[in-house]
């Protein structure tokens, strides 16, 4: 198999980054990749998807990584996993990797270990240049579930129609399930044994970077990784609900310009010129002439360390930074003076944020269970809503019409191969009931 053939298989299967923004995976493949880094950090608390895939499918992942190394002529593949989770790995498979190009790398139990800039440094010692992507240093970063989806596409011709999801938080038992893409989240939670959500809110993703779920409309997508349930009064929910305008007003009234938000920023500590306190000042005081203070937000990963750990005034610098970053992207504005950090800042080692500290600061210690069980719940939705944009890039366009009969795994929408995008497939057998700007609706 050559590079073009693998790219076509992955595009046809609709594979995107399963744990982040959903970057189309086939566009990551390059002959300039020397090292493949597998993100098995699972750095946000309460999440267990990648760990369960590693526990039950390590050999399949290794086989797929060998294929990726062959196709891209990469020297090695590194699975970056926290030392505390090494016990999940099949020892016989791990032992078989000795002396091979597939390596297991223990990374520190810190947050955000899964940020691709931090993970690349922890696994390879390389610092990605400001504003660049990992391939600029010969690295491709890929999520565990994404690798598993490649395995299924290559070996079983299976597209992405199911999603591993951890359900946890303020519930008696945390579980990881496999659910059909397009299933309504409210229906999924009810079928999984969590029908009563009165006084609760649901977060799609982790407690730091997740988004509040609209239970009336939101559905499972290819990037849904966790559904965490919290009381509506919890600080996590209140932080996510806070309007940007309120965050700006609070910053203008209370920010003392102490620089702690910058001092603890994970990317600043890796040598990036990202000074969050300057963003807070210009945003809250309307200093619109300080252009650099706005443009630097393109370097922000949105991890939230500045808000949850650093700021002693209870402000939310990350909310301001990500709002500005999104606005920059919409207007096509880019930072021009990006540099390559020569080394990490000397104070980095003493300023890393441990997962335990993060758990306590978030106030979720009581929600951390001794075990997260992988359960084989069978979901049988009567209707699925296949979103046309579950990825970075151009939305997919429907290739089916109302009334068409479709089968599970059948193509229902696609982005042109030459554009940045991917393909979508039905997750059930049924009939196309509607095609809208957002969904292809399929009912049994």
């Amino acid at each position: 198999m050559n590079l073009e053939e693998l790219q076509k298989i992955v595009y046809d299967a609709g594979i995107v980054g399963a744990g982040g923004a959903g970057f189309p995976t086939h566009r990551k493949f390059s002959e300039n990749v020397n090292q493949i880094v597998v993100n098995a950090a699972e750095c946000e608390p309460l999440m267990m998807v990648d760990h369960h895939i590693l526990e039950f499918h390590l050999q399949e992942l290794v086989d797929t990584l060998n294929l990726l190394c062959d196709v891209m002529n990469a020297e090695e593949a590194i699975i970056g996993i926290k030392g505390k989770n090494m016990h999940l790995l099949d020892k016989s498979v791990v032992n078989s990797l000795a002396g091979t190009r597939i390596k297991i790398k223990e990374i520190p139990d810190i947050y955000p270990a899964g940020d691709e800039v931090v993970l690349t440094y922890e696994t390879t010692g390389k610092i990605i240049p400001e504003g660049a992507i990992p391939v600029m240093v010969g690295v491709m970063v890929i999520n565990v579930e994404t690798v598993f989806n490649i395995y299924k596409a290559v070996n079983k011709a299976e597209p992405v129609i199911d999603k591993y999801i951890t359900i946890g938080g303020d519930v008696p038992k945390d579980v990881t399930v496999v659910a059909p893409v397009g299933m309504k989240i409210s229906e999924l939670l009810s079928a999984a044994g969590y029908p009563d959500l009165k006084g609760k809110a649901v977060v799609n993703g982790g407690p730091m970077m997740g988004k509040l779920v609209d239970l009336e409309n939101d559905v499972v997508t290819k990037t849904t990784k966790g559904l965490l349930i919290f009381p509506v009064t919890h600080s996590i929910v209140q932080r996510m609900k806070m309007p940007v305008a309120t965050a700006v007003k609070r910053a203008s009234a209370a920010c003392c310009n102490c620089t702690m938000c910058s001092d603890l920023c994970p990317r600043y500590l890796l040598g990036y010129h990202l000074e969050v306190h300057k963003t807070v000042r210009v945003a809250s005081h309307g200093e619109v002439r300080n252009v650099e203070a706005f443009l630097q937000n393109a370097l922000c990963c949105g991890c939230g360390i500045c808000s949850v750990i650093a700021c002693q005034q209870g402000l939310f610098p990350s909310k301001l930074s990500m709002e500005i970053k999104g606005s920059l992207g919409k207007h096509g504005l880019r930072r021009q003076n990006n540099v390559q950090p020569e080394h990490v800042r000397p104070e980095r080692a003493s300023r890393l944020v441990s997962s335990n500290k993060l758990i306590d600061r978030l106030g979720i210690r009581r929600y951390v269970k001794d075990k997260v069980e992988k359960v084989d719940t069978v979901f049988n939705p009567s209707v699925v809503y296949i979103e046309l944009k579950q990825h970075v890039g151009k939305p997919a366009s429907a290739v089916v019409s109302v009334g068409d009969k479709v089968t599970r795994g059948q193509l229902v929408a696609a982005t042109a191969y030459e554009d940045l995008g991917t393909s979508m497939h039905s997750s059930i057998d049924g009939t196309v009931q509607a095609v809208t700007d957002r969904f292809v609706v399929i009912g049994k």
Side-chain angles (χ1 to χ4, degrees):
M1 184 183 298
N2 60 35
L3 181 60
E4 291 75 18
E5 290 170 337
L6 179 60
Q7 286 176 315
K8 187 65 165 57
I9 290 172
V10 170
Y11 163 80
D12 287 342
I15 299 174
V16 300
F23 193 88
T25 302
H26 69 284
R27 295 292 288 267
K28 281 191 172 186
F29 297 160
S30 168
E31 292 179 346
N32 295 320
V33 171
N34 295 319
Q35 295 170 296
I36 299 169
V37 172
V38 181
N39 183 355
E42 205 91 270
C43 68
E44 288 227 36
L46 307 180
M47 310 292 276
M48 279 295 293
V49 162
D50 293 340
H51 293 157
H52 281 133
I53 296 175
L54 281 165
E55 183 177 4
F56 297 109
H57 301 287
L58 181 58
Q59 186 60 59
E60 291 96 321
L61 297 177
V62 169
D63 293 343
T64 306
L65 291 174
N66 274 311
L67 170 65
L68 293 177
C69 285
D70 286 341
V71 170
M72 290 184 281
N73 294 315
E75 296 176 1
E76 62 179 356
I78 306 169
I79 300 174
I81 182 172
K82 295 177 180 178
K84 68 178 184 180
N85 297 315
M86 285 290 291
H87 68 281
L88 297 169
L89 305 181
D90 186 320
K91 290 183 179 178
S92 64
V93 177
V94 173
N95 292 337
S96 73
L97 299 179
T100 73
R101 58 187 173 180
I102 312 299
K103 298 176 173 59
I104 308 291
K105 172 73 173 181
E106 293 188 25
I107 59 176
D109 186 15
I110 58 172
Y111 177 83
D115 170 44
E116 68 178 11
V117 177
V118 175
L119 183 65
T120 296
Y121 176 74
E122 293 293 347
T123 53
T124 71
K126 297 177 179 178
I127 304 176
I128 300 170
E130 294 178 355
I133 56 178
V135 74
M136 297 297 291
V137 292
V139 173
M140 181 181 78
V141 179
I142 189 169
N143 174 266
V144 167
E145 188 174 2
T146 306
V147 177
F148 190 48
N149 285 336
I150 295 172
Y151 169 82
K152 291 188 289 184
V154 171
N155 294 278
K156 301 180 180 181
E158 290 183 9
V160 181
I161 51 178
D162 293 308
K163 187 71 182 71
Y164 279 73
I165 302 169
T166 295
I167 303 173
D170 188 18
V171 293
K173 181 174 74 170
D174 290 2
V175 297
T176 294
V177 299
V178 180
V181 170
M183 186 177 186
K184 275 206 167 184
I185 288 177
S186 57
E187 184 182 355
L188 164 64
L189 292 173
S190 180
Y194 309 98
D196 184 12
L197 297 175
K198 184 178 181 180
K200 304 289 180 65
V202 181
V203 175
N204 184 346
M208 291 291 281
M209 299 180 69
K211 309 292 183 185
L212 290 175
V213 170
D214 175 357
L215 289 171
E216 292 294 322
N217 299 299
D218 285 355
V219 302
V220 174
T221 71
K222 298 176 184 181
T223 61
T224 304
K225 192 171 185 180
L227 296 172
L228 303 181
I229 301 170
F230 298 110
V232 293
T233 55
H234 197 281
S235 60
I236 290 173
V237 178
Q238 295 304 306
R239 170 167 51 87
M240 293 180 180
K241 281 185 173 182
M242 178 179 290
V244 172
T246 302
V248 171
K249 289 179 181 178
R250 290 184 60 180
S252 66
C255 178
C256 62
N257 207 37
C258 69
T259 78
M260 282 293 290
C261 52
S262 298
D263 294 341
L264 289 183
C265 171
R267 291 193 171 184
Y268 171 82
L269 293 173
L270 282 174
Y272 278 33
H273 292 83
L274 177 55
E275 297 175 294
V276 189
H277 68 282
K278 292 183 178 179
T279 292
V280 176
R281 178 167 181 83
V282 299
S284 61
H285 290 76
E287 297 178 5
V288 295
R289 293 186 178 183
N290 189 346
V291 177
E292 172 58 22
F294 286 102
L295 292 177
Q296 67 169 349
N297 289 283
L299 305 177
C300 177
C301 70
C303 70
I305 286 288
C306 55
S307 298
V308 175
I309 300 293
C311 185
Q312 304 306 302
Q313 299 287 70
L315 307 179
F316 300 104
S318 59
K319 186 177 284 286
L320 303 182
S321 288
M322 291 305 289
E323 178 72 13
I324 293 170
K325 180 177 181 177
S327 184
L328 291 174
K330 289 178 183 177
H331 291 87
L333 299 173
R334 305 178 67 88
R335 187 171 182 265
Q336 301 297 324
N337 56 332
N338 293 318
V339 299
Q340 165 70 69
E342 295 181 2
H343 50 74
V344 302
R345 299 187 190 276
E347 62 270 26
R348 180 177 186 266
S350 63
R351 294 183 181 176
L352 297 175
V353 176
S354 70
S355 295
N356 275 326
K357 182 175 183 177
L358 181 65
I359 288 169
D360 288 334
R361 185 62 66 89
L362 285 169
I364 58 173
R365 177 67 64 183
R366 62 188 179 277
Y367 302 138
V368 178
K369 314 297 194 299
D370 291 335
K371 183 179 181 181
V372 179
E373 183 182 356
K374 166 71 171 60
V375 297
D376 296 321
T377 303
V378 177
F379 297 99
N380 190 28
S382 58
V383 181
V384 292
Y385 303 78
I386 307 301
E387 287 215 32
L388 298 175
K389 186 169 172 56
Q390 304 180 41
H391 54 275
V392 169
K394 188 176 180 180
S397 297
V399 298
V400 293
S401 302
V402 173
D404 287 352
K405 301 289 185 181
V406 297
T407 57
R408 177 173 161 85
Q410 181 177 328
L411 181 72
V412 297
T415 306
Y417 187 76
E418 61 271 16
D419 293 329
L420 182 63
T422 190
S423 53
M424 307 295 171
H425 304 78
S426 176
S427 56
I428 62 172
D429 297 333
T431 303
V432 178
Q433 296 182 344
V435 176
T436 71
D437 291 341
R438 181 179 175 187
F439 298 114
V440 173
V441 183
I442 302 165
K444 289 188 175 179

